[in-house]
Amino acid sequence: MHSAVPGYGSNPLTRLRVALTVFFALDGFVFAGWVVRIPAIKEQTGASASALGLALLGVSAGGVITMILTGRLCRRYGNHRVTVVCAVLLSLSVALPPLTRSALALGLVLLLFGAAYGGINVAFNSAAVELVAALRRPVMPSFHAAFSLGGMIGAGLGGLVAGSLSPARHLVLLTVVGLVVTAAAGPTLLRHEPPAPPERERTEQRAPRRLDGRTRWLVIVFGVIAGCTAYGEGALADWGALHLEQDLDASPGAAAAGYSCFALAMTVGRLTGTTLLERLGQTRTVVGGGATAAAGMLLGSLAPSLWAALLGYAVTGLGLANLFPVAVERAGALAGPGGVATASTLGYGGMLLGPPAIGFMADWFTLPAALTSVAALAAVAAAVGALVGAAAGRAAGSREQRPRGSAADTPASPG
């Protein structure tokens, strides 16, 4: 596809893209299969909303802590190896929550699940950034579309089996599926090394240059945008089904369909993300997406009927779809692999705030009122995107003027 990458023809790049896409989809499938069973796990443990929120904090806390370490593991062992190992751990740990009988025990096992989840997300996002650089097209949304598609399928199947399978049997089946898929796709990643950068890039990666203050600030800002997005995704994953079941009297199957609607809309948004970015540019994509998500979540959280809430979830998914991929890619374009790691950690760190914040606000006010915080943060992402878009473009443009083979050319350029 691109002979400009030495030693890599179209077939190796295509095989790597397919394998990475499979792992993104598996991650979404396993995670969604877990989240649609949260109401049943809540009943099983007898946890209050705030206690459940603290237990769910285990997923985010384990993920964020692991992300800090995963970058080092990726540099030492390679993104591909770390992706495969974390996929195995994710598949095994998803079977643990139904074995718990208290909120404390649930939180402890979710630390392990979250560690695997955070590790695989850093590893395959880093691998995807390398591949995007080789392909030289803004295809990062397509990988995240696979995550959303996996989430939609996982939530849909979870809703179908919710009435006939116990959470324990359901999540054990997820373990089996995860191990089988990893065994099928893992060898491709293990056999193929990532597209190698030029020798000068490898030298500069071993001795990275210091970032100027403006670039470092912009990377953090893009991490904040990613964090606002992850907050919304995590809130709908952890609390969306419970809101429909508890506040709108939906059946377990209909409640699970809420996350399916959200994931389907996000999948559609990400599948069209490359075209959207090429036509509108990154700033307008972020601003429009954030505003759309804010309006959709206001409807989803405050609507008095199930169907209106489902529509709100879908609109929210469309709006949030491309914010995280754009934020991570822009951070990489500005600061290379270090920028990707920073934005990813801050982004998934948004999930650290979501579960306990929603839980406590639900106890203090109501769950619908708590979910409006998703709309507020989506609006913040839109506002921040509008403010920094021009500054980021100038910073990236100055980097693109550097000679070929410099560190500035390492990350993928959206053009």
Side-chain angles (χ1 to χ4, degrees):
M1 186 180 297
H2 287 277
S3 59
V5 182
Y8 279 83
S10 61
N11 287 339
L13 289 179
T14 300
R15 286 195 292 269
L16 284 178
R17 184 175 181 182
V18 170
L20 279 175
T21 300
V22 168
F23 278 106
F24 271 86
L26 176 64
D27 188 40
F29 178 81
V30 171
F31 188 74
W34 143 246
V35 300
V36 298
R37 301 315 296 256
I38 288 176
I41 300 296
K42 178 180 184 293
E43 182 178 353
Q44 172 184 298
T45 59
S48 65
S50 56
L52 178 63
L54 288 174
L56 294 173
L57 178 62
V59 177
S60 301
V64 171
I65 292 171
T66 305
M67 285 174 186
I68 299 173
L69 304 174
T70 303
R72 297 179 182 177
L73 293 176
C74 288
R75 285 191 294 271
R76 181 169 182 177
Y77 299 106
N79 299 327
H80 294 176
R81 291 185 182 90
V82 176
T83 296
V84 173
V85 170
C86 288
V88 172
L89 294 177
L90 183 74
S91 301
L92 293 174
S93 61
V94 75
L96 298 179
L99 304 180
T100 62
R101 291 296 180 271
S102 70
L104 176 60
L106 177 62
L108 291 176
V109 301
L110 289 180
L111 278 171
L112 178 59
F113 179 70
Y117 178 74
I120 194 173
N121 274 275
V122 168
F124 62 35
N125 268 299
S126 298
V129 167
E130 292 173 337
L131 188 55
V132 168
L135 296 173
R136 299 185 181 276
R137 288 196 66 217
V139 298
M140 182 66 87
S142 70
F143 292 113
H144 290 264
F147 173 86
S148 298
L149 180 61
M152 180 190 69
I153 295 173
L157 291 178
L160 290 177
V161 305
S164 56
L165 283 182
S166 67
R169 291 183 178 181
H170 176 202
L171 298 187
V172 165
L173 286 177
L174 292 185
T175 295
V176 173
V177 171
L179 293 177
V180 169
V181 170
T182 301
T188 300
L189 291 188
L190 297 177
R191 282 196 304 265
H192 295 282
E193 292 296 322
E199 177 60 34
R200 185 173 174 182
E201 283 187 13
R202 288 197 293 269
T203 301
E204 295 193 3
Q205 286 173 354
R206 288 193 293 268
R209 66 181 184 85
R210 291 183 177 274
L211 300 179
D212 61 77
R214 183 180 68 169
T215 301
R216 188 178 296 109
W217 176 79
L218 288 171
V219 168
I220 292 173
V221 167
F222 280 114
V224 169
I225 293 175
C228 292
T229 305
Y231 180 98
E233 291 186 53
L236 277 169
D238 290 347
W239 296 100
L242 190 61
H243 164 55
L244 299 180
E245 191 171 335
Q246 173 183 291
D247 300 309
L248 299 179
D249 298 321
S251 67
Y259 187 74
S260 295
C261 289
F262 172 77
L264 174 61
M266 184 165 277
T267 301
V268 172
R270 286 173 169 172
L271 286 173
T272 59
T274 297
T275 300
L276 197 65
L277 286 167
E278 289 174 337
R279 291 185 177 180
L280 298 182
Q282 292 166 335
T283 299
R284 280 180 287 180
T285 298
V286 169
V287 173
T292 299
M297 200 59 225
L298 285 177
L299 176 62
S301 58
L302 302 178
S305 68
L306 174 63
W307 294 111
L310 292 176
L311 175 61
Y313 282 14
V315 173
T316 304
L318 284 174
L320 293 180
N322 294 301
L323 300 190
F324 192 96
V326 168
V328 170
E329 189 174 1
R330 286 311 301 147
L334 289 166
V340 174
T342 299
S344 295
T345 301
L346 289 173
Y348 287 108
M351 299 177 73
L352 182 66
L353 297 175
I358 296 290
F360 282 117
M361 285 189 287
D363 275 350
W364 294 335
F365 307 106
T366 64
L367 182 53
L371 288 173
T372 61
S373 63
V374 175
L377 287 182
V380 168
V384 171
L387 289 173
V388 304
R394 288 194 299 270
S398 65
R399 289 174 61 79
E400 288 167 3
Q401 293 172 6
R402 299 173 184 224
R404 281 284 181 186
S406 71
D409 299 318
T410 302
S413 171

